[in-house]
Amino acid sequence: MTQKSFAQGSAFPPTKPGVLRLYNMRFCPFAQRTRLVLEYKKIPHEVVNIHLKSKPEWFLALNPLGQVPVLQIDDKIVPESTATCDWLDDVYSENRLQPADPYRRAWDRVLHEYIGKLITPFYGAVRSSDASEVESKSEEIKKHLQFYEEKLKAREDGPFFGGSKPSTFDFLLWPFYERLPMLPLLKDNPVLDIEADKIPTLTAWAKAMRELPAVIATSFDASSHVAWYKGHLSGAPDYDMFLKED
Ligand SMILES: N[C@@H](CCC(=O)N[C@@H](CS)C(=O)NCC(=O)O)C(=O)O
């Protein structure tokens, strides 16, 4: 299967019985969550990348909201990153990602519910051209990172939120954490750095995450994220950026 994105007017790539398919966009942090679970659990699958500025008709028929990620196998279709991660964990139930302990599972849900306090100011800052607004959003991000720092530290069994191995929440948070270092580069302002020394537990978490083959397989470095976002912000994103295919 080509990694190049499928756009409006393209022919539907036929599905095969019993083969799990992910509709993806290579730079989408939400779809990266699903890819992390697929890679971590070594679940066989194929990937169909979607051109989100010119969506194929067959993709909109599949998910009228027009968003990735979407999983498909035979007549089953699951959109929404959190639903895809839980579904994969339930169906491919070896090496569970969701904590067995109900209290811990409840708190992972809480930590996930609060993720917007990171995502909203981050994308607000990415899109803003007002330097003082960007700095105040960066302060919000840092404040919320302290919240995650304290929660992870209190678990005392790291390096992961899941303990000695990752849980679903580690994979829900990671794609956004991976993108945080692009802000000072994108805005050319070192003040926007997340200041790793002030969040030592999260910094150790990020180091452990970066060593996971699933993270290595799905990550871009900060300068690649910057290159992608510059195109995205200009209104003409290159969905096939960095692909070596002809
Ligand atoms: N709530 C969704 C958000 C997914 C999302 O925002 N995906 C973006 C790409 S990163 C998308 O498909 N955008 C296309 C659009 O909204 O038209 C999830 O968690 O899966």
Side-chain angles (χ1 to χ4, degrees):
M1 179 77 72
T2 178
Q3 285 294 291
K4 287 196 173 178
S5 56
F6 286 77
Q8 195 176 19
S10 61
F12 177 65
T15 48
K16 296 175 214 81
V19 175
L20 180 66
R21 171 178 287 185
L22 170 69
Y23 295 94
N24 179 54
M25 192 281 274
R26 293 170 47 247
F27 302 96
C28 172
F30 297 97
Q32 189 183 355
R33 291 170 158 179
T34 318
R35 292 177 59 220
L36 284 164
V37 174
L38 286 164
E39 292 287 335
Y40 184 75
K41 295 201 148 206
K42 299 189 171 63
I43 300 168
H45 66 282
E46 62 180 21
V47 175
V48 170
N49 287 312
I50 301 296
H51 192 305
L52 292 175
K53 288 268 181 215
S54 164
K55 296 168 188 165
E57 300 74 5
W58 44 261
F59 178 65
L60 288 168
L62 210 84
N63 180 18
L65 271 184
Q67 292 190 327
V68 292
V70 178
L71 285 174
Q72 179 179 33
I73 185 164
D74 301 325
D75 60 349
K76 296 193 176 83
I77 289 168
V78 180
E80 289 297 325
S81 57
T82 47
T84 62
C85 292
D86 286 349
W87 188 53
L88 289 173
D89 195 35
D90 288 338
V91 174
Y92 303 87
S93 55
E94 269 174 46
N95 201 5
R96 292 293 284 192
L97 283 169
Q98 293 163 79
D101 172 49
Y103 185 63
R104 190 155 184 148
R105 203 160 60 229
W107 261 98
D108 273 16
R109 172 59 72 90
V110 175
L111 297 180
H112 173 247
E113 293 290 336
Y114 291 171
I115 222 168
K117 293 178 193 288
L118 206 61
I119 298 178
T120 307
F122 176 69
Y123 285 104
V126 165
R127 277 189 290 267
S128 173
S129 46
D130 174 337
S132 69
E133 188 186 30
V134 171
E135 285 188 16
S136 97
K137 290 194 183 302
S138 165
E139 285 308 311
E140 275 182 58
I141 293 168
K142 288 179 198 179
K143 198 170 140 211
H144 198 53
L145 286 176
Q146 281 302 330
F147 167 80
Y148 283 127
E149 167 74 14
E150 281 156 29
K151 293 298 173 202
L152 180 56
K153 196 172 163 197
R155 290 196 167 183
E156 293 182 335
D157 63 354
F160 301 107
F161 282 89
S164 59
K165 63 184 196 56
S167 67
T168 309
F169 178 70
D170 288 282
F171 291 140
L172 296 180
L173 177 62
W174 174 257
F176 299 98
Y177 198 92
E178 178 186 309
R179 283 157 179 77
L180 296 178
M182 84 171 182
L183 197 56
L185 300 177
L186 189 65
K187 304 293 174 186
D188 196 19
N189 182 357
V191 166
L192 309 176
D193 185 81
I194 57 170
E195 301 171 294
D197 54 323
K198 293 194 179 147
I199 43 170
T201 320
L202 274 182
T203 301
W205 168 77
K207 183 172 179 296
M209 289 296 288
R210 277 197 193 92
E211 284 166 7
L212 295 175
V215 170
I216 293 167
T218 62
S219 288
F220 286 107
D221 62 16
S223 60
S224 304
H225 282 305
V226 169
W228 154 256
Y229 266 93
K230 282 190 172 160
H232 184 58
L233 293 170
S234 77
D238 177 3
Y239 291 101
D240 299 334
M241 193 175 243
F242 310 128
L243 281 182
K244 293 192 176 69
E245 285 176 46
D246 288 334

